[in-house]
Amino acid sequence: MTKAKTPKLSELLRRGEIFAVECPSREILKHVTSRWGVLVLVALMEGTHRFSDLRRKVGGVSEKMLAQTLQCLEKDGFIHRVSLPVVPPHVEYSLTPMGAEIGRKVESLADWIEINLPTILAAQRAG
Amino acid sequence: MTKAKTPKLSELLRRGEIFAVECPSREILKHVTSRWGVLVLVALMEGTHRFSDLRRKVGGVSEKMLAQTLQCLEKDGFIHRVSLPVVPPHVEYSLTPMGAEIGRKVESLADWIEINLPTILAAQRAG
DNA sequence: CGGAATCCAAGATGATACTG
DNA sequence: CAGTATCATCTTGGATTCCG
């Protein structure tokens, strides 16, 4: 790790950077708020799951998208992947401490929507 | 409005519905967590904005997507739109009370990512 | 100024088949 | 079981143009 490129924290932490096109936060936000990313994070809040468990739990997700989503969130450091070297293969997914933190935010959002859904639907009809 | 189809609240409020393909919450979640939906909600947390203000503030958004996003969130009851009948046109957007609630969740998520970005990027490189 | 309408490129997603 | 590879499709998103 070279020291040359280390940016000032104050630069990275300033609020409002997210509105800039080139802000790296946007990429992370995209992963986390992606169609399947949200549901996978919420699912993993309940604990470790195997691939096929997640596939069954998250209704409608294809193998491809689940694999892709898991890899992406693993690369971001939100998901921990453990592959047991046995046949048939056995792979477990869980949240890292960081994943659990962001998972709480996402879950909170999802819960709010589920709870307020009747109100939202009523507003839609009234509008 | 017929009464026949009104579902039991207990049905709609049960946690985990979001994992079902047909759960209506998924649509709302999609709107709120959409690429521009997140940024628009966060932007409006700071107060009322005009169309062109939002366009300037939310870097990279096209007129089309901004209009589409605003209409969608207005339909969901998160955004209040006021059109002043003057020339040139003057339209103001603000959050409804419900919009402010969900806005806080979304903002919290965005803020967390911005704050933890250095950690996330470090994790990416380490992984 | 604040859109609506149109066209088109790019990316996300899905079904299926295959593999270690 | 846990993926990967390939191809088809479907949705997003952007540029442009026009209008009240």
Side-chain angles (χ1 to χ4, degrees), chain A residues 50 52 63 71 81 89 93:
Chain A
R50 296 182 58 175
S52 47
E63 289 187 0
Q71 284 171 10
R81 178 180 183 274
Y93 293 93

Side-chain angles (χ1 to χ4, degrees), chain A residues 63-82:
Chain A
E63 289 187 0
K64 176 184 172 182
M65 291 314 298
L66 181 55
Q68 187 174 305
T69 302
L70 287 169
Q71 284 171 10
C72 190
L73 293 176
E74 188 196 356
K75 266 194 57 180
D76 290 343
F78 296 134
I79 284 183
H80 183 57
R81 178 180 183 274
V82 177

Side-chain angles (χ1 to χ4, degrees), chain A residues 29-73:
Chain A
L29 194 60
K30 201 166 164 181
H31 302 163
V32 168
T33 63
S34 69
R35 180 167 180 194
W36 305 116
V38 174
L39 297 177
V40 165
L41 287 174
V42 173
L44 289 180
M45 285 297 287
E46 290 179 22
T48 301
H49 286 67
R50 296 182 58 175
F51 186 87
S52 47
D53 289 338
L54 284 172
R55 179 127 161 66
R56 234 169 296 113
K57 181 159 193 169
V58 179
V61 69
S62 65
E63 289 187 0
K64 176 184 172 182
M65 291 314 298
L66 181 55
Q68 187 174 305
T69 302
L70 287 169
Q71 284 171 10
C72 190
L73 293 176

